[in-house]
Amino acid sequence: MSIETLLHKTYLTKDDIIQLLQSKGDDEKLLFDFSGEIKLQNVGNTVHLRGLIELSNICEKDCYYCGIRKSNTNVQRYSISDDEVLEAIQYAYDKGYGSVALQSGEIRSNAFSEKITRILQKTTKLSNGKLGVTLSCGEQTEETYRQWFEAGANRYLLRIETSNRELYKKLHPNDDIHRFERRLEALEMLKKTGYQTGTGVMIGLPFQTIEDLADDLLFMKNFDIAMCGMGPYIEHHETPLYAFKDSLMPLKERFNLSLKMIAILRILMPDINIAATTALQTIEQNGRERAIQIGANVLMPNITPKKYRDDYFLYENKPV
């Protein structure tokens, strides 16, 4: 079936999605032009600014792809004080940002839960409830999710990284706190609590297939996410997955595949929020702008205090 015919189907099958992911040249241009039109028709030509604050790089998880994994002893660990976080939030509010995103390593503790709650309550006060807050603080208990929701958080991003259970196992240690099922349960809890729930995947992972990526897109559609943050996998030399660097597709291919994932997701889910992620900019200087042209509608400028930015080092060459 031609790409043009495919794009006008009312329902895309897994095979259809695979064909779109494999498109090249004129077919790829048709895909991007079509997804760009879908974006304009459904979310308009507006880009939402969400100020990103990376408030801590302390993490209890040991994911094989991540530079701030617990076992990486070369990381200078930090946790930004409440006052510093609120100063950054005040900056976002003063500059007219619609929302901020608070991101951290995964920590489960009463002290951490209470810290986030305090920041949320003070954010509501300083902005008169006008500044939206997205959290991306990993897997927590349902009680903690509810506490943060009641304190003022309205969105939560928890990336599944891959919807393939077997691939997920290859990316994480084989223990209880890294279970795929636990990740799914957390996503369900977030939705149940009332958050606009977001997720996302890495594109171009070792062992990943084009079929996996098609399943990822269908997973997000079937879960009915409200927002997505996904981008190319970029290796980090102090992680176990770095051993497979020679088997990876070139960065340029990971970049193009990421754009196609964004375009297809926009077609599958016309009115959700899709972020143009920093990892795209790592590969191409105008990577985020290209993502916006073909379907993304959220930009997340990093407003973390500069002295901490170099230490939130998830992958190589991350812009700071």
Side-chain angles (χ1 to χ4, degrees):
M1 188 182 299
S2 74
I3 292 291
E4 195 163 7
T5 303
L6 202 58
L7 291 171
H8 288 89
K9 287 182 65 177
T10 55
Y11 175 80
L12 292 177
T13 66
K14 180 177 176 179
D15 287 341
D16 295 336
I17 293 170
I18 289 170
Q19 186 178 342
L20 290 172
L21 287 170
Q22 293 173 329
S23 62
K24 289 182 172 58
D26 290 344
D27 284 345
E28 183 181 271
K29 185 178 185 305
L30 280 172
L31 167 62
F32 290 160
D33 288 347
F34 187 78
S35 63
E37 280 300 314
I38 294 289
K39 177 201 164 183
L40 288 174
Q41 291 167 16
N42 290 274
V43 296
N45 201 26
T46 303
V47 175
H48 301 292
L49 290 180
R50 191 170 292 163
L52 175 63
I53 304 169
E54 296 162 333
L55 58 88
S56 171
N57 68 353
I58 300 167
C59 193
E60 296 170 352
K61 290 290 194 77
D62 224 5
C63 308
Y64 293 156
Y65 50 82
C66 184
I68 63 168
R69 62 195 301 264
K70 181 179 66 174
S71 292
N72 187 358
T73 56
N74 293 321
V75 176
Q76 181 71 38
R77 303 291 175 176
Y78 73 85
S79 181
I80 303 178
S81 71
D82 291 19
D83 287 345
E84 289 173 299
V85 175
L86 288 162
E87 189 177 329
I89 291 169
Q90 183 73 57
Y91 169 85
Y93 180 62
D94 291 344
K95 293 294 182 182
Y97 286 37
S99 64
V100 292
L102 305 182
Q103 182 174 300
S104 72
E106 294 202 24
I107 310 164
R108 277 201 191 198
S109 72
N110 289 335
F112 181 73
S113 297
E114 288 164 8
K115 177 187 178 79
I116 299 295
T117 300
R118 284 195 308 272
I119 291 168
L120 289 167
Q121 290 168 339
K122 290 176 182 177
T123 300
T124 300
K125 188 173 180 180
L126 75 81
S127 71
N128 297 312
K130 293 177 182 175
L131 196 64
V133 182
T134 300
L135 294 179
S136 184
C137 301
E139 296 165 10
Q140 303 289 339
T141 64
E142 187 169 356
E143 180 184 0
T144 296
Y145 285 148
R146 189 180 305 110
Q147 180 180 323
W148 290 346
F149 184 76
E150 290 171 354
N154 53 359
R155 299 186 184 95
Y156 203 105
L157 178 67
L158 182 67
R159 290 177 24 150
I160 191 76
E161 305 300 8
T162 174
S163 61
N164 180 328
R165 291 168 191 264
E166 294 310 309
L167 178 54
Y168 192 93
K169 288 178 184 176
K170 291 178 181 178
L171 306 179
H172 299 87
N174 182 24
D175 59 33
D176 189 56
I177 70 165
H178 292 89
R179 288 185 304 113
F180 180 79
E181 292 75 16
R182 176 168 153 153
R183 202 71 162 179
L184 285 181
E185 287 163 9
L187 282 167
E188 293 287 358
M189 281 190 284
L190 287 165
K191 210 170 183 183
K192 175 184 170 186
T193 302
Y195 287 96
Q196 293 179 41
T197 304
T199 193
V201 296
M202 288 183 288
I203 299 150
L205 284 160
F207 323 117
Q208 189 180 55
T209 67
I210 204 82
E211 290 80 11
D212 291 333
L213 291 171
D215 284 333
D216 290 340
L217 289 167
L218 290 171
F219 169 84
M220 289 187 274
K221 179 173 174 58
N222 292 334
F223 192 81
D224 195 24
I225 61 171
M227 58 182 180
C228 177
M230 62 179 169
Y233 165 69
I234 300 173
E235 60 272 31
H236 187 296
H237 69 282
E238 291 173 330
T239 63
L241 275 195
Y242 193 71
F244 301 95
K245 66 183 186 303
D246 293 335
S247 67
L248 298 172
M249 67 176 72
L251 279 173
K252 177 69 174 174
E253 288 182 31
R254 280 178 257 172
F255 177 83
N256 286 340
L257 197 50
S258 298
L259 291 185
K260 284 185 271 194
M261 287 285 285
I262 289 169
I264 298 166
L265 185 62
R266 175 57 69 197
I267 294 166
L268 289 172
M269 306 188 76
D271 59 357
I272 68 167
N273 287 322
I274 301 177
T277 57
T278 307
L280 293 164
Q281 185 187 348
T282 300
I283 299 175
E284 282 203 13
Q285 190 171 2
N286 67 339
R288 293 193 293 185
E289 289 79 4
R290 289 189 62 189
I292 285 166
Q293 288 172 345
I294 56 94
N297 68 322
V298 176
L299 269 179
M300 300 174 68
N302 194 334
I303 59 171
T304 307
K306 288 185 179 178
K307 64 181 177 180
Y308 299 110
R309 291 187 198 176
D310 286 343
D311 294 319
Y312 204 84
F313 192 43
L314 305 180
Y315 49 80
E316 304 290 341
N317 301 317
K318 178 175 174 276
V320 295

